[in-house]
Amino acid sequence: MSVFVTLHEKRLPFELSTIDLAKNANHEAGYAAQSLTHRVPTLIHGDFALSESSAITEYLDESFPETPIYPQARFHKARARQVQAWLRSDLMPIRQERSTEVVFYRAPAARLSASANAAAQKLYSLAETLLSSDSANLFGEWCIADLDLALMLNRLVLNGDAVPEKLADYATRQWQRPSVQRWLELERPPL
């Protein structure tokens, strides 16, 4: 999602190819030959192939700097990357109990376990620390880390879990961005 949004934000032409993860198509020889990690997404740019969303968004931001998707201030850029890395490496109970099926298919999930609830409290604490009371985005101007944080929050918001109003409003606002709406409007295979 973050790569798709980045490509749209930067107004870069691209061709989207889908991979059937349920059939492990990412491990088939053709895809595996292009994707060093056998992961989705993989960006093919000329003769260069790159996997892992945050690596791709950083590469695109450096390669096509005209429309930045990361903050320009060094400390804010570092903090945005920190937030992205943290969201991808921590909060596993939320990821397990609120998969993206909750977000993109509106598939309801059971109540949060104690460990997922603790992870949610950790998420809320970080988000509330970073979002000042009058800020619509993490670092003033929108950046790709706003999307990543909104995605994690929407795992809870869109399931109807109790999320602090300020954070739920933030996640809802981020979801209204035209590039995000394009992602949400993509046709998805049935569950």
Side-chain angles (χ1 to χ4, degrees):
M1 180 179 186
S2 60
V3 172
F4 180 94
V5 167
T6 295
L7 290 163
H8 277 283
E9 290 289 332
K10 290 185 165 290
R11 296 178 184 89
L12 296 171
F14 67 95
E15 185 177 317
L16 181 65
S17 299
T18 58
I19 301 296
D20 190 343
L21 297 176
K23 293 183 179 176
N24 292 316
N26 54 313
H27 296 292
E28 292 175 3
Y31 188 81
Q34 294 179 323
S35 175
L36 181 63
T37 60
H38 301 204
R39 304 261 316 243
V40 173
T42 293
L43 174 77
I44 309 295
H45 185 220
D47 293 334
F48 181 64
L50 184 65
S51 300
E52 306 301 329
S53 295
S54 58
I56 296 169
T57 57
E58 289 179 30
Y59 170 78
L60 290 170
D61 207 43
E62 291 172 7
S63 298
F64 304 95
E66 302 78 20
T67 305
I69 57 151
Y70 283 95
Q72 296 304 291
R74 183 177 59 178
F75 295 130
H76 286 164
K77 183 182 285 189
R79 183 71 72 210
R81 289 175 171 165
Q82 176 188 13
V83 168
Q84 286 184 298
W86 179 73
L87 289 168
R88 286 176 169 85
S89 65
D90 200 346
L91 310 172
M92 194 53 68
I94 296 173
R95 289 176 173 283
Q96 291 170 336
E97 296 181 31
R98 298 293 181 267
S99 76
T100 54
E101 290 176 2
V102 167
V103 176
F104 302 120
Y105 288 95
R106 305 297 172 123
R111 289 178 49 128
L112 290 174
S113 67
S115 62
N117 194 41
Q121 296 309 313
K122 191 175 174 183
L123 172 64
Y124 303 155
S125 177
L126 176 130
E128 289 175 340
T129 298
L130 289 175
L131 288 166
S132 66
S133 60
D134 61 345
S135 178
N137 301 303
L138 289 170
F139 308 105
E141 293 293 317
W142 178 88
C143 76
I144 198 66
D146 284 299
L147 171 66
D148 291 338
L149 179 57
L151 175 58
M152 186 60 76
L153 288 166
N154 272 329
R155 289 171 182 262
L156 301 160
V157 171
L158 296 173
N159 190 63
D161 295 308
V163 175
E165 184 177 359
K166 173 183 166 182
L167 300 181
D169 290 347
Y170 163 81
T172 299
R173 260 192 326 277
Q174 296 300 324
W175 237 230
Q176 299 311 309
R177 196 160 182 87
S179 57
V180 175
Q181 285 295 303
R182 284 186 190 103
W183 173 263
L184 296 173
E185 291 167 358
L186 288 175
E187 187 175 326
R188 290 177 171 72
L191 264 180

